[in-house]
Amino acid sequence: GEDVEQSLFLSVREGDSSVINCTYTDSSSTYLYWYKQEPGAGLQLLTYIFSNMDMKQDQRLTVLLNKKDKHLSLRIADTQTGDSAIYFCAVHTGTASKLTFGTGTRLQVTL
Amino acid sequence: KAGVTQTPRYLIKTRGQQVTLSCSPISGHRSVSWYQQTPGQGLQFLFEYFSETQRNKGNFPGRFSGRQFSNSRSEMNVSTLELGDSALYLCASSDGLRTDTQYFGPGTRLTVL
């Protein structure tokens, strides 16, 4: 089955850019998502990219997709303390509504 | 549009009991998926319902079941609770079509004692 991996922790200073990485195994993945989870909360959809795209920009967020290497990244420009959270990469494959999630990357923003 | 709602938000049960969780999707969405989130296993897919039919199922024992009503609201039931069932149960709503972007509710935190 699909396997999605992320690094567990990232620490950045306020104002810097953050880059969160994700790798996946299934080359037939169609849509790839980034979700944010704050303590005690559900998952907030941040952005998504279709597999025929290389890049998508949405305000401070930039998603890069390298299909050859099965690598997805999320860049957050001008990172703020409010961006501190766990970020999940999720991959959708096939026709059924099933997402396979990575382990999540905890982003810590320091002053 | 109102978001995905889940009730109750918190539950405490004892081993052997059963529990029912409820999810109301975004208006117009016909697909509801359920996920279990634990510190050890992360986010795992339980099952998905689309137009009152189970369309996909994850690798969970038969103690976990669900259903969907004609108004797209969904319930999830866990029978004979075990300590390991303690988790955050998340419900996701989507239109169930090709793009299938899933929007999550706040979750139900289940604690089994």
Side-chain angles (χ1 to χ4, degrees):
Chain A
E2 175 78 84
D3 192 25
V4 182
E5 294 195 358
Q6 299 177 241
S7 53
L8 290 179
F9 185 75
L10 175 66
S11 181
V12 299
R13 296 183 71 134
E14 191 178 40
D16 288 349
S17 291
S18 307
V19 179
I20 301 170
N21 295 301
C22 169
T23 58
Y24 58 98
T25 56
D26 190 338
S27 57
S28 64
S29 300
T30 52
Y31 285 87
L32 302 100
Y33 301 86
W34 285 102
Y35 287 90
K36 175 184 179 183
Q37 187 175 39
E38 297 183 77
L43 299 177
Q44 176 193 351
L45 176 67
L46 289 177
T47 187
Y48 65 91
I49 189 167
F50 186 49
S51 58
N52 69 353
M53 299 167 67
D54 298 325
M55 185 183 86
K56 181 179 180 181
Q57 188 149 5
D58 187 357
Q59 299 182 327
R60 291 191 300 124
L61 305 179
T62 303
V63 179
L64 294 177
L65 175 61
N66 182 328
K67 275 197 76 175
K68 177 176 168 290
D69 294 337
K70 301 191 195 73
H71 182 267
L72 181 73
S73 68
L74 174 70
R75 178 178 180 269
I76 305 172
D78 187 25
T79 311
Q80 302 296 307
T81 55
D83 295 324
S84 294
I86 300 177
Y87 290 80
F88 290 94
C89 162
V91 177
H92 178 271
T93 307
T95 56
S97 291
K98 175 185 174 182
L99 293 179
T100 302
F101 284 86
T103 50
T105 299
R106 182 179 297 277
L107 175 64
Q108 178 185 67
V109 183
T110 59
L111 295 174
Chain B
K1 276 188 183 177
V4 180
T5 58
Q6 292 187 245
T7 57
R9 292 293 312 279
Y10 302 92
L11 266 179
I12 299 175
K13 293 285 187 179
T14 56
R15 277 180 298 176
Q17 287 188 308
Q18 68 95 24
V19 68
T20 299
L21 314 182
S22 180
C23 172
S24 291
I26 292 169
S27 177
H29 282 186
R30 292 159 64 191
S31 170
V32 173
S33 299
W34 289 89
Y35 294 81
Q36 181 196 64
Q37 185 178 27
T38 59
Q41 299 297 317
L43 278 152
Q44 293 187 289
F45 174 79
L46 281 155
F47 32 64
E48 182 229 357
Y49 286 86
F50 179 80
S51 294
E52 301 180 65
T53 301
Q54 188 180 84
R55 193 163 67 166
N56 202 359
K57 189 177 186 306
N59 290 330
F60 278 81
R63 299 186 298 107
F64 292 82
S65 63
R67 59 178 175 168
Q68 187 180 33
F69 302 94
S70 58
N71 62 357
S72 294
R73 190 178 71 85
S74 176
E75 287 182 348
M76 185 192 120
N77 185 75
V78 188
S79 63
T80 321
L81 284 166
E82 300 176 0
L83 295 178
D85 297 334
S86 293
L88 180 66
Y89 290 89
L90 292 163
C91 157
S93 156
S94 74
D95 59 15
L97 303 176
R98 195 164 175 269
T99 57
D100 203 33
T101 301
Q102 295 189 31
Y103 299 89
F104 284 79
T108 294
R109 171 75 62 187
L110 172 65
T111 302
V112 182
L113 302 176

